[in-house]
């Protein structure tokens, strides 16, 4: 896997590079400021970009802006965003920028090597990987949809983290058939048409978060 890293913190930047190289991946570009991100992505066209939200020169939203611009110029580019805190506006805007190949993790998750590498692989493969804390805060800051049952919200919460049906079934100690039924109910209640089957899992999360 070819990776571009955009992170201004030298220690974290080198830590991510070491972790990914040890896992057998190739670092094709490393940048430390916002204006460098898009040119590096256009030059190297990596399999995935790992970006910090707040980058120099203003330390506001350079990483997010670059992520959205990059996905406009390189449609489908997988992007894993790292943030020190749950930034609600940034997370929601990033999710709204595309329905696949998106990840949003808190930086302390990088220290959990297996979780970080799993998220990296999942996003590079076109899936999603949302930090559990990000999902919780995004969902809790808005009124939940009354149409969803408590169990359906649990399933949706795990879907948002990128888990497949088998993993959800294991965590909730139910059958995969039950999970499939819950997901079908979620799609129906959120009025997601069958024609969107390829993206409905992410669209369901977006509909929930933005309700």
């Amino acid at each position: 896997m070819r990776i571009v890293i955009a992170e201004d913190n030298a220690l974290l930047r080198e830590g991510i590079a070491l972790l990914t190289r040890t896992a057998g991946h190739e670092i094709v570009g490393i940048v430390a400021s916002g204006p460098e991100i898009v040119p590096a992505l256009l030059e190297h066209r990596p399999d995935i970009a790992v970006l910090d939200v707040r980058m120099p020169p203003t330390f506001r939203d350079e990483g997010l802006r670059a992520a959205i611009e990059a996905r406009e110029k390189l449609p489908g580019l997988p992007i894993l965003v790292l943030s020190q805190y749950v930034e609600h506006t940034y997370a929601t805007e990033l999710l709204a920028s595309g329905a696949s190949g998106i990840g949003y993790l808190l930086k302390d998750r990088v220290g959990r090597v297996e979780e970080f590498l799993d998220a990296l692989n999942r996003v590079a493969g076109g899936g999603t990987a949302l930090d559990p804390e990000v999902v919780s805060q995004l969902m809790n800051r808005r009124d939940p949809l009354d149409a969803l049952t408590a169990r359906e919200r649990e399933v949706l919460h795990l879907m948002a983290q990128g888990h497949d049906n088998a993993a959800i079934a294991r965590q909730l100690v139910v059958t995969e058939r039950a999970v499939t039924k819950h997901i079908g109910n979620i799609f129906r209640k959120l009025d997601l048409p069958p024609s969107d089957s390829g993206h409905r899992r992410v669209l369901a999360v977006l509909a929930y978060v933005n309700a």
Side-chain angles (χ1 to χ4, degrees):
M1 185 189 306
R2 301 171 66 256
I3 303 171
V4 165
I5 299 171
E7 169 60 59
D8 64 291
N9 183 302
L11 185 60
L12 182 58
R13 185 172 64 235
E14 293 306 313
I16 294 171
L18 177 61
L19 285 178
T20 50
R21 285 183 177 126
T22 300
H25 305 306
E26 178 185 3
I27 305 301
V28 295
I30 296 179
V31 301
S33 70
E36 299 177 87
I37 297 174
V38 173
L41 295 176
L42 292 175
E43 176 185 355
H44 298 292
R45 296 178 178 264
D47 298 313
I48 186 171
V50 179
L51 309 179
D52 185 8
V53 168
R54 297 188 174 188
M55 299 278 290
T58 69
F59 293 96
R60 295 183 64 186
D61 60 358
E62 284 83 357
L64 176 72
R65 298 283 129 237
I68 294 173
E69 181 182 349
R71 282 178 66 93
E72 290 174 352
K73 295 182 177 180
L74 297 172
L77 172 68
I79 294 177
L80 178 58
V81 168
L82 302 178
S83 180
Q84 188 68 42
Y85 310 103
V86 180
E87 316 219 32
H88 304 107
T89 301
Y90 296 157
T92 303
E93 188 169 353
L94 180 66
L95 287 169
S97 74
S100 63
I102 287 291
Y104 190 112
L105 296 182
L106 296 183
K107 288 186 176 181
D108 63 4
R109 196 71 57 181
V110 177
R112 306 175 189 182
V113 177
E114 290 186 3
E115 291 184 33
F116 172 71
L117 293 177
D118 176 67
L120 189 74
N121 290 325
R122 192 186 307 160
V123 173
T128 58
L130 301 185
D131 194 288
E133 184 62 24
V134 173
V135 176
S136 294
Q137 291 200 31
L138 287 178
M139 287 185 171
N140 290 337
R141 70 190 294 263
R142 290 177 170 83
D143 292 333
L145 299 180
D146 292 337
L148 297 181
T149 66
R151 176 62 84 183
E152 287 164 357
R153 286 196 294 272
E154 285 183 303
V155 171
L156 184 52
H157 183 97
L158 293 171
M159 285 169 58
Q161 295 177 37
H163 295 297
D164 60 20
N165 290 14
I168 293 173
R170 286 194 299 271
Q171 293 205 38
L172 297 181
V173 194
V174 298
T175 65
E176 284 191 53
R177 183 176 180 180
V179 171
T180 300
K181 182 178 179 180
H182 287 311
I183 291 175
N185 288 337
I186 291 169
F187 291 159
R188 177 176 55 79
K189 291 178 180 180
L190 297 184
D191 197 26
L192 296 175
S195 59
D196 290 325
S197 59
H199 298 309
R200 283 193 299 175
R201 295 178 81 91
V202 176
L203 290 175
V205 176
L206 290 175
Y208 192 94
V209 168
N210 290 305

